[in-house]
Amino acid sequence: MTVLTHTHITMVYKILLVEDDPILVEMIEEFLSEEGFYVSVAHDAKTAMDLAYEQHFDLWILDVKIPHGDGFKLLSELRQQGKQTPAIYTTSLSSVQDLEKGFQSGCDDYLRKPFELKELLIRIQGILKRSFAHNNEDFEVIGNGISFSYAQKALFRNGEKITLSHKEGELLVLFLQNKNRFISYEEIFERLWGYGETPSEMSLRVYIKNLRQLIGKEKIINHRGSGYLYESTKSSHS
């Protein structure tokens, strides 16, 4: 099941493929694209880490042996930072110790190389089906043809997906979970900026401006010098 329809909204699954073998990358990317998936590619651990933070993906496919790190460490670090995106390892490693290490680092499945592309597809479909059922793609209707997907951290306007930055998505979740309640700068900073990051009031203003342009200026009210309130006279879940 690649494309799902929920409340008249069509969703295409996004996959991050982390692999440094150009031939294998081309094969997997072409195959999954033909199956209807949107595939982004990273050839090393650093690029993969950046993409995993900057964009929402429904699934990560991680090679274990990659430049600038390894898949085990990459996934372990992402899990420690609270990233719960399902992950499949692809690797030539075959010992029980490697298998154990892989699952301990937080993977959902483990595929040994070489593998058939059809088998990869079956594993992907199984994980996404479980993930979809777990999340139930909880869409919240905002109004004026706009809905928000908690699972994808994305807006949909009349069925068309509008991708948000990671922090914009987290900020909108915070607002929707606290409708008609004043939220202080301190609470917002704590939610959006992780350990070791320096909160930025200027950046927050940019995120607020972008969200207002998308969902309506009147939705987010500024308590000058203190924080914000998301005003909703009517909310519903579809």
Side-chain angles (χ1 to χ4, degrees):
M1 183 190 298
T2 303
V3 180
L4 295 175
T5 300
H6 183 90
T7 62
H8 308 295
I9 298 173
T10 300
M11 295 165 289
V12 178
Y13 285 118
K14 292 180 63 178
I15 293 176
L16 174 60
L17 172 63
V18 184
E19 172 64 60
D20 66 330
D21 183 334
I23 296 177
L24 187 55
V25 165
E26 184 177 356
M27 290 173 56
I28 294 176
E29 185 176 18
E30 181 179 355
F31 175 76
L32 292 181
S33 295
E34 289 176 352
E35 291 293 328
F37 294 96
Y38 178 85
V39 182
S40 293
V41 177
H43 299 283
D44 60 76
K46 184 181 184 304
T47 304
M49 181 71 76
D50 291 342
L51 286 174
Y53 271 97
E54 293 169 359
Q55 300 181 36
H56 167 81
F57 293 96
D58 300 289
L59 179 71
W60 298 324
I61 301 175
L62 311 174
D63 183 20
V64 173
K65 296 182 177 180
I66 50 177
H68 308 304
D70 66 76
F72 291 151
K73 185 177 180 181
L74 171 64
L75 182 57
S76 181
E77 289 181 0
L78 287 169
R79 292 288 187 249
Q80 289 173 15
Q81 294 300 319
K83 300 290 185 180
Q84 298 303 317
T85 299
I88 298 175
Y89 280 132
T90 60
T91 179
S92 56
L93 301 175
S94 58
S95 71
V96 174
Q97 290 79 12
D98 292 323
L99 183 65
E100 183 179 23
K101 186 176 181 181
F103 280 104
Q104 286 178 344
S105 66
C107 78
D108 296 85
D109 208 342
Y110 201 103
L111 196 56
R112 292 188 176 95
K113 295 179 179 179
F115 53 82
E116 296 290 334
L117 293 175
K118 181 65 175 178
E119 182 180 1
L120 175 62
L121 177 62
I122 292 171
R123 303 287 187 98
I124 291 171
Q125 290 173 329
I127 287 178
L128 292 178
K129 186 176 181 180
R130 293 195 301 271
S131 178
F132 182 86
H134 175 72
N135 290 316
N136 197 28
E137 283 297 342
D138 193 7
F139 278 87
E140 176 142 358
V141 176
I142 291 177
N144 297 321
I146 299 174
S147 297
F148 178 72
S149 164
Y150 286 97
Q152 297 192 57
K153 297 291 195 304
L155 287 168
F156 289 83
R157 179 186 286 123
N158 298 321
E160 181 179 351
K161 185 175 181 178
I162 304 170
T163 302
L164 302 173
S165 71
H166 172 70
K167 283 186 169 57
E168 287 170 351
E170 289 296 324
L171 179 58
L172 187 52
V173 168
L174 182 62
F175 282 143
L176 292 174
Q177 291 175 340
N178 295 275
K179 300 182 187 71
N180 302 314
R181 182 178 79 81
F182 170 75
I183 305 175
S184 68
Y185 283 131
E186 289 74 19
E187 185 174 350
I188 294 173
F189 289 155
E190 184 176 347
R191 175 70 172 263
L192 265 63
W193 278 268
Y195 178 77
E197 292 184 307
T198 302
S200 169
E201 186 173 340
M202 183 64 69
S203 296
L204 176 59
R205 289 177 182 174
V206 173
Y207 304 146
I208 293 291
K209 179 181 178 182
N210 291 343
L211 289 178
R212 281 173 167 167
Q213 290 176 341
L214 292 170
I215 67 175
K217 184 177 180 180
E218 73 286 351
K219 291 283 187 181
I220 303 174
I221 300 172
N222 181 19
H223 285 239
R224 189 168 299 278
S226 301
Y228 295 90
L229 180 145
Y230 176 88
E231 187 172 60
S232 174
T233 55
K234 180 181 179 181
S235 64
S236 62
H237 290 264
S238 54

